[in-house]
Every structure is written in structure tokens, then in C-alpha cells.
Amino acid sequence: MKKLTALSAVAFGLLCSRASAEGSLAFVYLEEKVAVYESRLQECLLMGRNANLPSEAVLTALKAYPQKDAERFLLVRATLAEEKCSSTEQGELAAALLVIEAGESPVPEDAATLVEQIKPAAFPSTRWALRRHYFSLPAEMRVHLEGFEVFQRPFNSLLIREYLFD
């Protein structure tokens, strides 16, 4: 959710800056990539928010693990599923950033500013910490629960947690 908020702020900045000037080609190219990525990320978040409770088999499998581990799995896996859902668009954004940074020398000022705004929003430093947290869960548990299709796409981790543990 923080990523979407940060990207929305960047998108708002883009709209405001567009009103003042058309911008360089690099800026317009990045602007388009940000818009596509933000749109897909919103779709993925909405998919997760609107997902139904999974099958009884999935709920039973989750109950077989300690509550703390199951909750950690649900929270982290939900975030990873959202990332996976928008990974194509995020990859295209990353490639666009690299092309711009490696291309023109110097990068046009408007594009350079946009690059500096996009990087922390689209590629937060917490990504590796999240994966480390996920890999600290018991391997057998991860493998077992990842086998359920529901955890391969955005899902509503809060709904599941409320159902199981409240």
C-alpha cells in the first residue's frame, strides 16, 4: 500500500509538471511506464482486497502451523503475490529506468528528477528484508502452502487471518 501511495504521489507530480511543460522524450517515456505500472499495481491490490475466503483445505493447512508462523506467511506472501502480479510492468519500468540512465549523457533534468522519484517508490529498499523474512519461515511450511493456487495470486490475507485467529 505504501508503494501505491508513493507512486500516486509521483503520478500527481507528473500531472502537475505536464501542465507546465511537455517535457523531454525521456520524461514522457518514463511517465508512460509509471502510469502503466501504477494502473496494474492498483488492479493487483484490488484483486487481493476483493478475494474470497479460500477453501476449507487451505484453511485447514494454515491451522496446522503455529499461529505466529501462519500469520507471517499470510502477510508476507500476500505482498509477494501482489508484486508477482505486477512484475511484468515493474520489469518494464526498471528497463526504462536503465535505458534512460545508460543512454543520454547527461540525462535531461526533468527525466533525472523523475528517475530519482520513481526508484524509491517502485523499488523500495525493504524488498530484500521482506524476502528474508519470508525465507526465515520453515521451508516445509512454505513449500506446502505455496502448493495452493490461492497463494500464487493476490489474496485477502486480512480476511483469512480474521477468520482463523479472531
Side-chain angles (χ1 to χ4, degrees), residues 115-129:
V115 166
E116 293 310 311
Q117 292 172 344
I118 292 170
K119 280 183 178 180
F123 307 99
S125 59
T126 56
R127 289 181 74 166
W128 176 239

Side-chain angles (χ1 to χ4, degrees), residues 47-68:
M47 271 191 273
R49 192 175 306 128
N50 292 333
N52 294 323
L53 204 57
S55 70
E56 193 59 41
V58 171
L59 298 173
T60 300
L62 284 164
K63 287 182 205 175
Y65 298 101
Q67 180 177 342
K68 183 179 175 185

Side-chain angles (χ1 to χ4, degrees), residues 3 7 33-34 36-38 40-41 80 82-97 118-124 127 131:
K3 185 186 293 188
L7 283 172
K33 295 299 181 184
V34 168
V36 169
Y37 173 57
E38 182 182 26
R40 181 61 181 162
L41 186 58
L80 295 175
E82 289 166 359
E83 280 186 1
K84 181 179 178 183
C85 177
S86 61
S87 64
T88 299
E89 293 77 9
Q90 188 177 36
E92 290 176 7
L93 177 58
L97 290 168
I118 292 170
K119 280 183 178 180
F123 307 99
R127 289 181 74 166
R131 280 178 172 61

Side-chain angles (χ1 to χ4, degrees), residues 140-154:
E140 319 78 53
M141 174 187 182
R142 282 184 297 149
V143 170
H144 177 226
L145 294 175
E146 286 171 1
F148 291 101
E149 192 216 334
V150 68
F151 298 128
Q152 300 305 312
R153 61 184 186 286

Side-chain angles (χ1 to χ4, degrees), residues 92-110:
E92 290 176 7
L93 177 58
L97 290 168
L98 290 171
V99 165
I100 296 301
E101 288 184 321
E104 295 181 40
S105 187
V107 175
E109 186 178 331
D110 58 349

